[in-house]
Amino acid sequence: MTRGLALLRSAGLRRSNTWVVPGGHSRHLGSDLARAAARTTEVVSLSAWRDDAWDELGAEWVGVLPGTDTAVILALIHVLVVEGLADDEFLARCAVGADVVRAHVLGRDGGTPKTPEWAERISRAPAPVIRDLARRMARGRTLVNVAYAVQRGERGEQAVFAALTLAAFLGQIGSPGGGFAHGFGSMGDYGVGVAGPPLPTFPQGSNPVPDFIPCARISDLLLDPGATIPYDGGVVRFPDTRLVYWAGGNPFHHHQDLKRLRRAMSTVDTLVVNETHWTATARHADVVLPAASSLERDDLAAGAGDRRLRAVRRVLEPVGQAREEFWIYARLAERLGAGEAFTEGLDSRGWLERIYERWRAAPGSPPAPPFDRFWRDGGVDLPAEPYRDAVFTDFRADPERFPLDTPSGKLELFSAAIAGFALPDVAGHAVWRAMSPVAAEFDLRLLCNQPTHRLHSQLDAGAASRSTKIAGREPVRLNPADARARGLRAGDVALVRSPQGSLLAGVALDDGLLPGVARMHTGAWYDPSAPHVADCVAGNVNVLTRDAPTSTLTQATSGAHVLVAITRHDGELPPVRAHEPPPSLG
C-alpha cells in the first residue's frame, strides 16, 4: 500500500497552533497525532523556515522564499501536464477551466512556460526537487494543505487558488485522505475528526446599519473619507467617521504600518477603548473604559468540537474601576434611552443562565443538567461524533446530482465571474505575480509569524514572553550567513528598517532559515517612545509592514512578510516603556 503524502505550506503543523481554539479547548493535541501521521504519511513542508513542521513528523523540507508559493505550485502543475500525470477524466467531469490552466502553465497564453526551472529562479526551490515531488504526488494519495498564513501576504489568495488547482489536477478531491485542505494544523479545532453539538451563544441580533469595510482597511477609512475601493466585485465607500469605539481587539498590535495608523486615528474626534491592560491602543484613546478580565467575571467556555462545556467562575471581584463589559454596555444603553431593551431586565449572571437554559432546551443539544447544577459541577461533558463532510465525497461520486455551490456547480479552476470583474491584479485563474518592488537596500525578506510563547500580543509583559527577549526586545532571527555578512552576532541589537518604518530587535541565529530570509514574531507591544532612535524600540513588526491589500478582490491584510534592511545598532539603547502605565496611574 502506497503511503500517503501530505504537502504542507507555511506553518503547516506547528505544535503551538494546535493549542489555539476560539472559545478555548479542554484538550490539546500532542505527540500522538505526530506519531500517527509519521507512521502513515510522508510529510513535505514547503516553507522558508525548516521548523514550520513538528520534529516528530520527520517532515521533508523544501525551502521556498516567502511570497513565491504560487510559482512553485504552478510548476508542479506543469510537470503533471507535460508528463501525462494529470487526472484528465476527473478534470473533465468535475471541473471547469482546466484548459485555461493548461494553456497558462505551458505558456500558450503568451506567457512564460511555468517549468520547474522557471520556478527555481523565483523561489530557490530546486527544479529537480519540484519535478520529483510532482511525480510522487501523482503516484499515491496526496493531501495538499495550505495554512492560513500563506494568504496573508501580497497576492496571497493566489497561492490558495493555485493549491486547489493542483489538487484538482491530481484528481483526488473527494477521496479519503486526499484532495485539498485550507488550514489543517492552523488551529486546534480543524481536522480533529469529530463534531460536537451547537454551543450556547449570546443572541447576535441584526445590525440596522448597512455600512461596512474590509477590516484591514481601517487606516484608509479614516484618512480618506468618501473614497471608494473595489471589493468582492463591487464597490465600498468609506463613510466620514468621527468616533471610533474599539472593544475586543488591539489594532496597534495587528494592523500594518503603525505610523500610518497613528495618523489615521488622530483624525477622529473621539477614540473610546474597552481594555483590560494599558495596550498601545488604550494609550492612544481619549476615553478608556477599564474592562474586567476573564479572571474577574463569570462565563461559559467551549470550542468547536470540544468535549466539555465549562463553567468559568470568576477568581476575584473586578479590581479598582474595572467593570464587566455587559455592565458598561448596559450603562451606555441607559444613557441612550435603551437600557431595558438592551438588558431585558437581566444582569450578566442572568444572561448566562438564559443562554445556557435556551441551549439545553434546543433541538440537537445533548442531555444537560439545570444551570445551578451545571455551575456547581463546573461543566458538562459534550458528545463528539465522528465527523464526515460528505460535500466533496458526494460531488466526486455524482457531480450532476450533488453540485457544488459555484456558478457552474463544479470546481472552478477558471472563474468567469472573477475574470468579469476586470481587476488589474486578479485573473480568473491562479497567476503568479512578483512582489511590489522597493529600493535595493531592502535585501532581506522578513517573515512575520505568530509567536510560540504567547497568543498574539497577550501577556507580552509576562515571564514567558520576557524570557525570549534579547536586551528586552523582540528577537529577529537570521541565517548565520546573513548575520556574518552584516557583522551581526547573537545577542547584538539590530536596527531593522523597511520603507514604512524602523524598530530595534535582538539578534538570534537560526540555520533553519533560508539565506536571505529573516523572521520575527508578531505581538511585541508597540513602543514609539524614542522616535529619534527607531519607530518602535520594543520590536513590533507592524511598524515595518505595508498597509496594502492582498488584492483588490478581497482587500485583506498582507502583513505576513515585508522586505527589510538589517544593520547593527551601536548607538543609544533607550529603555522599553511599552508596559509602563500612564504616569497618573503608575
Side-chain angles (χ1 to χ4, degrees):
M1 176 175 148
T2 303
R3 298 179 80 208
L5 179 69
L7 176 68
L8 306 175
R9 181 56 191 115
S10 190
L13 274 177
R14 279 179 47 198
R15 184 188 301 277
S16 60
N17 289 358
T18 68
W19 300 341
V20 180
V21 176
H25 231 290
S26 62
R27 60 189 171 85
H28 284 163
L29 301 174
S31 296
D32 288 347
L33 174 64
R35 283 193 292 268
R39 283 196 301 270
T40 61
T41 308
E42 298 176 46
V43 178
V44 181
S45 177
L46 273 65
S47 173
W49 185 39
R50 181 180 58 213
D51 296 340
D52 256 347
W54 299 358
D55 288 342
E56 295 102 314
L57 288 171
E60 176 185 338
W61 178 44
V62 178
V64 175
L65 285 174
T68 66
D69 314 80
T70 303
V72 175
I73 297 169
L74 291 175
L76 290 167
I77 297 171
H78 181 277
V79 175
L80 298 179
V81 171
V82 299
E83 297 191 6
L85 301 174
D87 190 333
D88 293 331
E89 185 276 332
F90 176 84
L91 291 169
R93 191 167 56 88
C94 297
V96 297
D99 54 337
V100 177
V101 175
R102 285 192 194 92
H104 181 66
V105 298
L106 295 173
R108 293 174 182 168
D109 59 355
T112 302
K114 307 306 183 285
T115 64
E117 288 74 21
W118 166 84
E120 179 178 2
R121 291 191 294 273
I122 293 166
S123 69
R124 294 196 196 160
V129 172
I130 295 174
R131 193 167 276 108
D132 176 67
L133 182 57
R135 294 165 181 163
R136 291 161 59 195
M137 295 171 78
R139 278 201 301 267
R141 187 58 52 86
T142 299
L143 174 69
V144 181
N145 177 54
V146 184
Y148 293 153
V150 74
Q151 70 194 39
R152 294 169 183 166
E154 191 174 351
R155 304 183 179 97
E157 305 98 334
Q158 293 301 311
V160 182
F161 197 177
L164 172 63
T165 305
L166 171 62
F169 270 74
L170 288 167
Q172 298 186 24
I173 293 174
S175 301
F180 171 77
H182 186 203
F184 278 151
S186 295
M187 301 289 286
D189 59 353
Y190 184 35
V192 295
V194 296
L199 297 174
T201 57
F202 197 86
Q204 297 299 298
S206 60
N207 189 349
V209 179
D211 295 334
F212 80 100
I213 64 163
C215 64
R217 305 274 57 84
I218 299 160
S219 294
D220 292 345
L221 163 77
L222 300 178
L223 291 170
D224 201 4
T228 60
I229 58 170
Y231 172 70
D232 198 23
V235 173
V236 170
R237 180 177 297 276
F238 295 138
D240 187 5
T241 304
R242 309 310 314 157
L243 181 146
V244 172
Y245 189 127
W246 206 285
N250 182 7
F252 281 93
H253 148 60
H254 62 71
H255 199 64
Q256 284 70 63
D257 195 345
L258 294 184
K259 286 199 298 183
R260 186 169 187 258
L261 181 64
R262 291 190 88 184
R263 293 197 304 273
M265 287 294 189
S266 72
T267 65
V268 301
D269 297 333
T270 310
L271 172 59
V272 183
V273 173
N274 283 17
E275 252 305 345
T276 57
H277 293 77
W278 280 106
T279 64
T281 305
R283 289 169 182 268
H284 285 82
D286 299 296
V287 178
V288 178
L289 300 175
S293 71
S294 57
L295 299 176
E296 301 166 297
R297 58 178 173 80
D298 295 330
D299 209 342
L300 310 175
D306 212 339
R307 301 294 179 89
R308 188 166 176 82
L309 173 67
R310 285 149 289 150
V312 182
R313 303 186 187 94
R314 71 179 64 191
V315 177
L316 72 167
E317 293 298 314
V319 175
Q321 294 181 312
R323 297 291 184 270
E324 292 186 55
E325 285 190 281
F326 182 84
W327 184 94
I328 293 172
Y329 299 140
R331 302 292 82 75
L332 290 171
E334 285 178 4
R335 295 190 179 200
L336 294 169
E340 181 66 24
F342 176 77
T343 66
E344 298 185 20
L346 299 174
D347 59 10
S348 60
R349 177 59 177 262
W351 267 106
L352 283 182
E353 183 168 354
R354 176 183 286 188
I355 291 167
Y356 176 86
E357 291 294 347
R358 285 181 173 175
W359 166 77
R360 189 168 75 98
S365 292
F371 181 81
D372 288 344
R373 181 179 161 193
F374 159 80
W375 199 255
R376 184 182 68 247
D377 293 347
V380 61
D381 290 338
L382 301 173
E385 300 295 330
Y387 176 69
R388 178 179 180 268
D389 185 349
V391 171
F392 289 105
T393 304
D394 291 344
F395 166 73
R396 178 186 184 87
D398 192 340
E400 300 301 323
R401 184 181 174 195
F402 300 104
L404 301 179
D405 188 17
T406 63
S408 65
K410 297 185 178 183
L411 297 164
E412 301 212 348
L413 311 184
F414 173 83
S415 169
I418 293 176
F421 298 155
L423 299 171
D425 57 341
V426 179
H429 59 89
V431 174
W432 181 82
R433 290 186 174 93
M435 293 176 63
S436 299
V438 298
E441 65 182 293
F442 302 107
D443 57 350
L444 288 171
R445 299 182 185 227
L446 178 68
L447 277 174
C448 312
N449 67 327
Q450 290 294 336
T452 56
H453 52 282
R454 61 174 177 258
L455 178 62
H456 299 302
S457 64
Q458 294 178 24
L459 302 180
D460 184 50
S465 185
R466 289 202 316 271
S467 70
T468 68
K469 306 283 187 180
I470 297 174
R473 288 146 235 278
E474 195 68 25
V476 58
R477 291 167 171 81
L478 293 164
N479 182 285
D482 290 324
R484 285 194 300 271
R486 291 159 179 79
L488 294 168
R489 295 178 298 179
D492 286 348
V493 174
L495 179 68
V496 185
R497 297 180 297 111
S498 78
Q500 288 68 243
S502 60
L503 58 79
L504 294 183
V507 175
L509 305 184
D510 188 341
D511 63 5
L513 282 167
L514 277 181
V517 177
R519 187 171 67 87
M520 284 190 75
H521 286 144
T522 64
W525 280 21
Y526 177 47
D527 186 351
S529 61
H532 59 290
V533 176
D535 295 310
C536 177
V537 298
N540 185 312
V541 295
N542 275 323
V543 298
L544 306 173
T545 52
R546 297 176 65 236
D547 190 12
T550 53
S551 71
T552 53
L553 178 67
T554 67
Q555 298 288 347
T557 177
S558 62
H561 50 82
V562 63
L563 292 169
V564 298
I566 301 179
T567 55
R568 182 196 300 274
H569 176 74
D570 292 319
E572 175 191 352
L573 196 61
V576 174
R577 301 189 181 280
H579 307 125
E580 297 177 3
S584 62
L585 298 172

